[in-house]
Amino acid sequence: MDYNAATDAAIAKLHEEGRYRTFINIKREKGQFPHAVWTDEQGVDRDITVWCGNDYMGMGQHPVVLNAMHDALDATGAGSGGTRNISGTTVYHNELEAELADLHGKESALVFTSAYIANDATLSTLPLLFKDMVIISDELNHASMIQGIRHGNCEKHIFRHNDVAHLREILEGIEKGRPILIAFESIYSMDGDFGPIEDICDLADEFGAMTYIDEVHAVGMYGPRGAGVAERDNLMGRIDIINGTLAKAYGVMGGYIATSARLVDAIRSYAPAFIFTTSIPPAVAAGATASVRHLKGDQGLRDLQQQHAKVLKLRLKGLGLPIIDHGSHIVPVHVGDPVKCKNLSDMLLMEHGIYVQPINFPTVPRGTERLRFTPSPVHNPKMMDHLVDAMDKLWGQCALNRADLTG
């Protein structure tokens, strides 16, 4: 076996299909985000504006977060020192979990190194706790949820995206008395559409199923305290397990679940991904706690983010660009061709200093390639003018279709 040749062939295939991913060297500047510095291939530093980051609220540079992290770093040092079972549980971890439990109105919360790990660990562990469990998953659930369900080695079914009638059909075919979990998301990040939370909860009640919701792209941004779409819709009490992240709207790092005290106790006791992983550093936990606590009371920041997203959608639609608009803060622009999507991204960066990554297969289905913009409260009108002008110019250069605005 020529391992080098096989590796080269696999990489070459990505290049041929126009979906080879490149990392660009970015230096964020405290207090200046979404401005950043990009070091190009010639080693030249160039000023850019980041339009695709998941630091949705700009909390990664907020003084309340940075001060909390500095204080914890000075008090405790860099790392946590071990897993949660071996010296890796500190007052900072406990405070964070208490803050998250309060946020979601649950008895308890459990922090992981990422929301990916939280999904994988929890969904793979639940079948160990509930013998003969069946998991039913929305077809567009995140890769981490799919991975966790696979690792659970239990019976699983996939229902068509947001199709509650199809979900009902599946539930009706499951033998009565078996434990059932319905896993879905509140906001699906590629199209920015919302899950039918209330309808799913109604079916869960009817069929005696548990509910598991991923609020990763909603926590911090929706609801009166930023607990997510379930809070906005007064449905948190009907969700059994809530998954969230600390790395997007909260601007730090880590993931978590919020649920009953007994389920948290069981997951922490049975999940290998939790048991054998070093905990997040105390300074990170402290920063996350400060961010969660701050956003519970900063509705103005949430309103500004939603306003900026609405304005950008309206302006891009005004150019006839194919916007996918489901009313969330995410602004996907459909391109439909992997090569043109990559070219458009490259030209925005190199010619206009605008950074937005192309979203290609396997993140989205082939033929649905897109640019995904994430306006934040710290993107100002001048930045938006520059982006809209650049998109107008480059869309024509790439010979991409526009909507007919005359009818």
Side-chain angles (χ1 to χ4, degrees), residues 333 335-346 357-360 369-371:
V333 181
V335 178
D337 179 280
V339 175
K340 288 184 177 181
C341 196
K342 178 69 165 61
N343 289 343
L344 196 56
S345 170
D346 289 345
Q357 275 283 45
I359 308 294
N360 293 334
E369 294 82 7
R370 71 209 49 193
L371 299 177

Side-chain angles (χ1 to χ4, degrees), residues 80 84 87-98 111 279-283 285-286 289:
S80 68
R84 290 292 293 277
S87 79
T89 297
T90 70
V91 64
Y92 300 99
H93 296 85
N94 291 333
E95 285 179 355
L96 175 57
E97 287 172 343
V111 171
S279 64
I280 61 173
T289 301

Side-chain angles (χ1 to χ4, degrees), residues 32-298:
Q32 299 300 315
F33 186 77
H35 286 302
V37 175
W38 164 49
T39 305
D40 67 18
E41 294 180 355
Q42 285 72 45
V44 177
D45 286 347
R46 298 173 59 179
D47 291 331
I48 62 169
T49 303
V50 178
W51 274 98
C52 61
N54 285 338
D55 186 358
Y56 290 134
M57 307 294 278
M59 292 301 291
Q61 63 179 354
H62 199 288
V64 72
V65 175
L66 301 185
N67 291 339
M69 295 185 74
H70 279 297
D71 289 346
L73 184 66
D74 290 341
T76 69
S80 68
T83 67
R84 290 292 293 277
N85 297 308
I86 305 175
S87 79
T89 297
T90 70
V91 64
Y92 300 99
H93 296 85
N94 291 333
E95 285 179 355
L96 175 57
E97 287 172 343
E99 198 72 43
L100 292 167
D102 172 77
L103 174 69
H104 292 289
K106 299 298 183 185
E107 292 177 340
S108 193
L110 191 64
V111 171
F112 296 78
T113 51
S114 72
Y116 188 109
I117 298 298
N119 272 333
D120 189 355
T122 304
L123 289 167
S124 63
T125 300
L126 290 172
L128 298 177
L129 306 177
F130 304 105
K131 185 179 178 182
D132 206 24
M133 172 169 258
V134 181
I135 298 182
I136 311 175
S137 172
D138 187 289
E139 69 175 337
L140 293 188
N141 277 344
H142 190 264
S144 59
M145 300 174 77
I146 295 169
Q147 188 84 325
I149 294 166
R150 284 175 178 162
H151 288 164
N153 293 316
C154 66
E155 182 180 330
K156 63 181 181 291
H157 298 272
I158 310 299
F159 66 96
R160 291 185 293 271
H161 179 53
N162 282 350
D163 188 337
V164 292
H166 188 215
L167 174 58
R168 172 179 283 280
E169 288 178 21
I170 295 171
L171 287 164
E172 288 173 342
I174 297 172
E175 181 184 353
K176 285 183 173 26
R178 292 184 68 181
I180 302 169
L181 180 79
I182 305 172
F184 60 106
E185 299 185 35
S186 64
I187 297 179
Y188 292 84
S189 64
M190 289 300 106
D191 282 351
D193 57 328
F194 295 90
I197 303 174
E198 185 170 15
D199 291 340
I200 290 175
C201 288
D202 288 344
L203 284 177
D205 290 346
E206 182 180 346
F207 289 90
M210 296 175 65
T211 49
Y212 184 105
I213 192 169
D214 181 310
E215 289 259 32
V216 159
H217 291 276
V219 289
M221 296 173 284
Y222 294 82
R225 297 201 308 161
V229 180
E231 183 193 33
R232 183 198 68 180
D233 296 346
N234 296 312
L235 296 168
M236 278 199 304
R238 301 184 65 186
I239 303 292
D240 292 295
I241 305 172
I242 297 172
N243 169 278
T245 186
L246 304 166
K248 291 183 170 59
Y250 294 121
V252 193
M253 179 185 175
Y256 64 89
I257 58 168
T259 182
S260 67
R262 61 167 54 90
L263 264 178
V264 163
D265 194 21
I267 297 298
R268 76 168 187 87
S269 300
Y270 278 87
F274 178 83
I275 295 169
F276 298 106
T277 299
T278 298
S279 64
I280 61 173
V284 172
T289 301
S291 187
V292 172
R293 191 174 291 149
H294 177 86
L295 283 179
K296 283 179 179 178
D298 198 340

